[in-house]
Structure formats: C-alpha cells, structure tokens
Amino acid sequence: MIYLDSAATSLLKPKSVSRAVARAIDTMASPGRGAHRAAMLAADTVFDCRSAVAELFDVPEPEQVVFTLNATHALNIAIRSLASRGSRVTVSGYEHNSVMRVLYDLGCDVSVAESPLFDEDAAVTAFRRLIPQSDLVICNHVSNVFGFILPIKRISEICAEYGVPLIIDASQSAGITKISFTELGAQYIAMPGHKGLLGPQGTGVLLCGDVGRPLLCGGTGSDSINEKMPDYLPDRLEAGTHNVAGIAGLREGIRYIKSMGEERICGYETMLCGIMADRLSEVEGLTVYRSNRSQAGVLSVRHKRIDPEALCGMLGEHGIAARCGLHCAPLAHRTVGTLDTGTLRLSFSPFLSKANVIEAANTITRLINSKIHQ
C-alpha cells in the first residue's frame, strides 16, 4: 500500500513509537498514583514527554503543556475557556469542525475572515478588518483540506495590537513547521499527537497561556483534599488517568522530529507534494489545488466528471490510501467553492519515497484516463 492519508493520521511512524507503546503497557502504571517502580516510571515518562514538547514548541515551562485525547479535546478546552454565548469570534475561512461545532454549540457570534486560497495578504487583510471588533480569534495554521499555510505570525501580531486572545489550531502543522509558542503569543495552541508528531492515536497536546477552564473534573493524583479542580497546570486540565502508553509513543515521535528537524521534514513533504501536483496537472479535466509558496504537504484535486468518492474507491482497490469528501471542514470547501462534491486529498509523509509518489501519480492518471475514455 502507498499511504497518502497522513493528514488523517500518521500510519507510517518510526519503529521506536510502537516499541515504546508496548514497553509502557508491560512496565508502567499510573503517574501520581503510587511510589512503586511502575508508577514512578510512568511519572518520569510523562514528564519527559511534557518537557520534550515544551522544548520543541518554545513553551516557557513544561507545566504549560497539557495532554489531551486529541486536538478536538484540546480545542474544546481552549475555546470553552475563552468563549461563551454571544462572544464575538473571528475565524479563518479554513476552519475544521473541531472549531466550528464548538462555537455553534456555545452560541457564539461567528465572523469568517474569508480570503482566496493561498492568498496570504488577503487573509491578513480580512483578519485586520474583523479583529478590532472581536472577543476571540481562532485560526487554522495549515488547512487540512488544501495545505494552505496561513500567515499566522502576521495574524498574531494584529491580535496583540488590539489585545484580542488567539487560539491556533496546529493540527496539520505541529511537527512539520517550526512553531514558537512564545513568539506567537497565542493564548492556546492545540494539536494532535497522531499526525505530524508521529505519535499514537488517542494523544493530543494543548499549549496553555493561562490555567483555563476544566472540561472534565475528577482525580488528578494531586491535591486530593480539594473538592474543586486544582488551580494550577497541568493538573487543572488533566482529570483522570493518563494515556501513559500513548504518551510514551508520542515521546518517541517527538524525538524523531527533533533529530530530523521540522524544516527538513517540511521541505521533503513539500517536495513530494510538488512532484504529485506537477504530474497530476497534466491530467485532462483534473483541477489541482496547489501553490508554489504557501502550501504544506497536503494536496487536494477534483475531476470535473468523476466524483471524488468514486476516484478514492478506485485508488483503494489499487493499493493507494487517500481520502475523499469534505474532510470535516465544510467551511474550507465553501470558501474555495468545492462544497458540492468535496475533493480527493493526498497527503504526504517523511516515510514516503519519490518512487512511491511517482507510482501513485501514474496510477491516478491511468485510472482517470481509463474512466473518462471508457
């Protein structure tokens, strides 16, 4: 199988990740729940991973790193800590349902900073127009549909100028592009562990600029006499038993990223994306959504006669894993004009070779040509 669905989850991972998960299951108990060896080994592993995340993302203190189940969990904590019914919230035109459904559930007054695909200046202009009237800004760093790298630093500077808190959804950028929590000045940055960070499913991270509002209440292994959740991080936002095995695997994913470097990973994935885009641009009737300067390793395509779902099924039968549809981001499709059918999405990984991508591109070309000429 040629795996081109890393934007959904990083099936291709360093071997050290699965080994760490298995070792944790065999040797580790729960952190903060005992002084025996198994509990202490778990506590050390969780702290080591927390420290590694803080170092990777330039977070002042490891305690500001909160472990979650996934990016959706992290975004719910962040949004519900800063927004409520009637809050005026500005979002990009490329947000995921992990953001939009929370805002609508809360009853927020949502404004969309609409801008054309891959147009950074237009995105900045749209945000500048809306931020002065906003109580909160939420911005997707990289579109999970089109790979558009939004100008997050410029947007963060406008938020700082007007004193408006910022939440960044780094689901498609964490581990792939350089992110400095300190430089961006965001109140929260949310990310999954199982995508660019190369960890297992069931892991996520929230980088915190304040203590936040607990989404769950319960045991923390600390301050047990207190009837309320602790007022300090990370305990305040980490109720219940940690996913120790997942965190152990995540630590290995982060070690791999640090050894390779985000710039190298991003450059390689972008190169693979470019090879695919170049080859598919020659296919009759196929629209390729690409940019030469503002795109990460995520590529969407759409054929004028073949439904993306049908094309995705054909690829699956020929050993190519991709994704079709709206990708849980109807707002992005509404912005670009693909809401009626969605797209076929191809996403890349540091564990793919050029030969894999060329073979996949040739297969896609052959299948489309055979379909439209049959």
Side-chain angles (χ1 to χ4, degrees):
M1 178 177 66
I2 298 176
Y3 189 74
L4 294 171
D5 198 20
S6 292
T9 196
S10 57
L11 179 64
L12 309 176
K13 307 179 194 292
K15 296 298 183 184
S16 58
V17 172
S18 58
R19 289 196 295 265
V21 171
R23 186 166 56 248
I25 290 172
D26 287 340
T27 63
M28 297 180 196
S30 294
R33 273 72 170 180
H36 52 83
R37 176 174 171 76
M40 297 306 294
L41 184 57
D44 289 344
T45 298
V46 170
F47 182 76
D48 285 350
C49 187
R50 203 185 302 278
S51 298
V53 172
E55 182 180 350
L56 185 66
F57 295 108
D58 189 24
V59 181
E61 300 293 338
E63 290 75 19
Q64 293 174 254
V65 175
V66 168
F67 290 119
T68 62
L69 299 174
N70 43 50
T72 298
H73 182 195
L75 284 164
N76 266 267
I77 294 172
I79 295 169
R80 294 177 188 276
S81 293
L82 296 178
S84 57
R85 180 169 298 277
S87 294
R88 298 166 299 174
V89 182
T90 293
V91 301
S92 79
Y94 299 90
E95 298 307 314
H96 191 275
N97 278 341
S98 296
V99 168
M100 301 308 297
R101 285 178 172 172
V102 183
L103 295 176
Y104 290 126
D105 182 62
L106 287 172
C108 296
D109 179 5
V110 178
S111 298
V112 180
E114 295 181 350
S115 62
L117 183 61
F118 302 128
D119 192 332
E120 296 180 30
D121 291 338
V124 171
T125 298
F127 271 103
R128 180 169 287 280
R129 178 173 56 85
L130 293 171
I131 286 174
Q133 294 83 43
S134 302
D135 299 313
L136 173 64
V137 170
I138 306 174
C139 190
N140 195 326
H141 192 184
V142 172
S143 167
N144 73 302
V145 181
F146 300 102
F148 177 23
I149 305 173
L150 279 89
I152 197 67
K153 184 66 168 68
R154 295 164 68 186
I155 293 167
S156 72
E157 289 169 351
I158 301 171
C159 289
E161 179 182 345
Y162 288 96
V164 179
L166 170 66
I167 297 172
I168 298 173
D169 178 0
S171 293
Q172 297 298 335
S173 59
I176 297 168
T177 61
K178 195 71 176 176
I179 297 173
S180 170
F181 182 72
T182 300
E183 288 184 6
L184 289 173
Q187 202 77 354
Y188 296 100
I189 300 181
M191 61 192 70
H194 67 99
K195 296 186 182 185
L197 294 181
L198 305 176
Q201 292 103 320
T203 59
V205 172
L206 182 65
L207 311 181
C208 300
D210 65 27
V211 296
R213 179 181 300 171
L215 189 64
L216 299 173
C217 295
T220 57
S222 63
D223 200 14
S224 294
I225 193 65
N226 192 350
E227 293 180 343
K228 296 182 179 179
M229 290 297 289
D231 59 1
Y232 50 86
L233 293 174
D235 302 50
R236 180 169 176 79
L237 302 179
E238 290 185 353
T241 300
H242 291 81
N243 177 6
V244 175
I247 291 170
L250 178 59
R251 180 178 63 172
E252 294 304 315
I254 290 170
R255 284 175 173 171
Y256 178 86
I257 292 163
K258 290 175 70 175
S259 70
M260 294 291 290
E262 298 101 318
E263 291 183 0
R264 182 178 174 188
I265 292 172
C266 185
Y268 184 73
E269 291 188 7
T270 301
M271 178 270 293
L272 295 179
C273 184
I275 291 173
M276 180 68 79
D278 286 342
R279 289 176 174 263
L280 295 186
S281 294
E282 300 174 359
V283 177
E284 178 185 351
L286 189 69
T287 299
V288 179
Y289 298 91
R290 68 174 303 181
S291 169
N292 292 323
R293 59 185 293 260
S294 303
Q295 189 171 20
V298 178
L299 181 71
S300 265
V301 301
R302 185 168 74 152
H303 197 275
K304 64 180 181 181
R305 288 173 52 189
I306 306 173
D307 186 80
E309 184 172 349
L311 182 54
C312 193
M314 293 162 58
L315 292 177
E317 292 174 359
H318 287 78
I320 297 174
R323 185 177 176 184
C324 62
L326 299 182
H327 318 294
C328 301
L331 179 57
H333 290 280
R334 188 175 295 115
T335 297
V336 177
T338 55
L339 186 62
D340 55 337
T341 63
T343 59
L344 174 73
R345 185 184 70 186
L346 310 165
S347 49
F348 303 88
S349 158
F351 300 98
L352 284 169
S353 68
K354 292 181 184 179
N356 292 149
V357 173
I358 292 170
E359 180 183 347
N362 290 341
T363 301
I364 294 168
T365 301
R366 185 177 69 253
L367 290 173
I368 290 175
N369 287 338
S370 65
K371 182 73 173 178
I372 62 178
H373 293 122
Q374 68 182 11

